[in-house]
Amino acid sequence: MSASGALARRLGLVDAIAIGLGSMIGAGVFAAFAPAAAAAGGGLLIGLAIAAVVAYANATSSAQLAAQFPTSGGTYVYGREMIGPWSGFFAGWSFVIGKTASCAAMALTFASYAVPEAWQRPVAVAAVIVLAIVNTFGVTRTAGLTRAIVVVVLSVLVLVVVAAAASGAATTANLTIAPGEHGWYGILQSAGLLFFAFAGYARIATMGEEVRDPQRTIPRAIVIALVLALIVYVALAVAALATLGPERLAASPAPLAELAAAGGWTWTGPVVRVGAAAASLGALLALVAGIGRTSLAMARAGDLPRWLSAVHPRYAVPHRAELALAAVVSVLILTTDLRAAIGFSSFGVLLYYLIANVAAYRQGAAARRFPRVLQIVGAVGCAVLVATLPWPSIVGGATVVAVGVGYRALRRRAREGVTPRA
């Protein structure tokens, strides 16, 4: 059980799309809209458009790289192969810390919709532990459960939009395409926070070692999942802003439940809460799988402890990495709040995609599927959105990144003290 082995290719196109879509919908719809509205006000739609452009550029870079390197690890592997070991480590560490925070955010979102406040943190911890155990029983179970969750969530979101349209409370006066009183800084900050909602397609790339026909399946799945998520986000953002207004949206702890009830459909409240809980669980399930695969790749290369590279001999999953992740996320749940976790997650994930864009820019003509201008747009967009995140997220993220860099430097020095340089 301790040996590091290969993962099994068991996922098809529909499985990969479901995992990416499940990650994005759970994160964006129920967690990111309120803080983004607080940052941008009525300019939320501009922030969403900026986040979508950056996400598309990043998605094309990830798709192009994944087709050339169809293995576990995502940009950790791409950075190592196309730029160098330090760039790979920087990307992998940023992904692990950012998405670990995302796990905490999704678990807290699930609990906030599912149980009273006094029970939320214990229930969130229990959800993390249960889903980590589900993941250890094999990736096909992960994909199957995610598909079921996506169907439930999309059904609920259709109900929300229909209820909002039938309410008669919507007004175009709440929709704006101008910066307004919050200015461009607030809009860019909202874009950085909303980027948290788009980053789920990374799960597809990080699971590249388990996808059938990866050179064809991964690029298609990434783009399809992103487009589907964007359609859902635009519909809900327009409905929420037009019906609730930016101030009410920013202040609401459960904006979609409030949106569905705006026309007097009070019976929709429990339905929306079930959908929110399911969406958050779907995102959490896919996150645990994706982080486990990146941790596996980093452990194989010696950038994380080697014992995390174990692949279960029966279920062919990185079980130790996933169980270790569950322990760390449980600690975060007990010590952090939801909005802080979203900002911290965006910091790590934007740095991860910055490396992805640079790596894709360096690919040769034979591997190129998209024009280089998209990689430039993605890299510049990531840098700008990182710089405009709330300052506690920047300080906290930079500190943890520095800890990881110091850890790798010490490990390299220790190895070189025993083994001469090659």
Side-chain angles (χ1 to χ4, degrees):
M1 186 177 295
S2 61
S4 178
L7 303 179
R9 295 195 181 279
R10 296 171 174 168
L11 301 179
L13 178 62
V14 174
D15 296 321
I17 292 171
I19 287 174
L21 191 58
S23 300
M24 286 185 278
I25 289 180
V29 173
F30 298 103
F33 277 178
L44 168 66
L45 293 178
I46 307 175
L48 180 61
I50 294 172
V53 169
V54 176
Y56 178 76
N58 295 343
T60 57
S61 292
S62 295
Q64 183 172 287
L65 287 160
Q68 183 176 352
F69 304 106
T71 187
S72 290
T75 303
Y76 171 70
V77 174
Y78 314 150
R80 286 178 63 89
E81 295 293 332
M82 300 304 304
I83 308 173
W86 270 109
S87 294
F89 174 82
F90 186 80
W93 183 246
S94 296
F95 178 86
V96 169
I97 64 173
K99 288 306 178 182
T100 299
S102 293
C103 286
M106 288 300 93
L108 288 168
T109 300
F110 159 72
S112 69
Y113 279 92
V115 296
E117 184 175 358
W119 288 92
Q120 286 175 8
R121 293 186 188 272
V123 168
V125 170
V128 169
I129 293 171
V130 169
L131 292 186
I133 292 172
V134 168
N135 268 313
T136 63
F137 283 103
V139 71
T140 53
R141 290 173 175 80
T142 300
L145 182 54
T146 301
R147 283 198 303 270
I149 289 172
V150 166
V151 170
V152 171
V153 173
L154 288 178
S155 300
V156 170
L157 295 180
V158 169
L159 172 64
V160 170
V161 173
V162 171
S167 70
T171 171
T172 56
N174 289 330
L175 304 177
T176 179
I177 56 172
E181 61 179 308
H182 292 264
W184 280 106
Y185 181 83
I187 287 174
L188 289 173
Q189 187 173 106
S190 76
L193 294 169
L194 286 167
F195 185 82
F196 169 86
F198 284 103
Y201 54 80
R203 302 301 78 68
I204 303 169
T206 57
M207 301 178 75
E209 195 172 327
E210 295 157 282
V211 175
R212 297 192 298 270
D213 189 14
Q215 286 83 1
R216 176 177 170 81
T217 300
I218 294 175
R220 292 174 65 199
I222 287 175
V223 174
I224 292 171
L226 178 63
V227 171
L228 291 175
L230 177 59
I231 292 170
V232 172
Y233 291 167
V234 170
L236 286 165
V238 170
L241 276 176
T243 304
L244 301 179
E247 292 80 12
R248 189 175 167 190
L249 174 60
S252 177
L256 294 193
E258 192 170 340
L259 176 62
W265 294 14
T266 55
W267 60 269
T268 60
V271 177
V272 173
R273 289 187 176 276
V274 169
S280 302
L281 287 179
L284 181 58
L285 184 67
L287 282 166
V288 171
I291 299 169
R293 274 65 181 175
T294 299
S295 300
L296 168 69
M298 296 181 73
R300 283 172 171 171
D303 283 336
L304 287 178
R306 293 279 187 182
W307 63 271
L308 292 174
S309 67
V311 174
H312 197 282
R314 178 178 178 184
Y315 299 114
V317 295
H319 56 295
R320 289 184 184 173
E322 292 180 350
L323 294 176
L325 170 67
V328 174
V329 172
S330 296
V331 172
L332 288 177
I333 289 170
L334 298 174
T335 58
T336 60
D337 62 69
L338 177 59
R339 295 198 179 198
I342 290 174
F344 186 91
S345 174
S346 293
F347 179 90
V349 176
L350 284 164
L351 292 181
Y352 172 85
Y353 283 114
L354 176 61
I355 299 296
N357 283 298
V358 175
Y361 184 86
R362 293 169 65 92
Q363 286 180 284
R368 183 154 300 283
R369 294 167 178 246
F370 302 95
R372 277 193 166 93
V373 67
L374 283 175
Q375 286 105 61
I376 296 172
V377 170
V380 171
C382 288
V384 170
L385 295 187
V386 161
T388 55
L389 286 171
W391 70 264
S393 300
I394 297 174
V395 172
T399 300
V400 179
V401 167
V403 169
V405 170
Y407 167 80
R408 185 174 192 269
L410 290 174
R411 282 184 63 89
R412 283 173 55 86
R413 180 174 299 178
R415 286 198 301 265
E416 290 170 359
V418 176
T419 303
R421 288 179 182 268

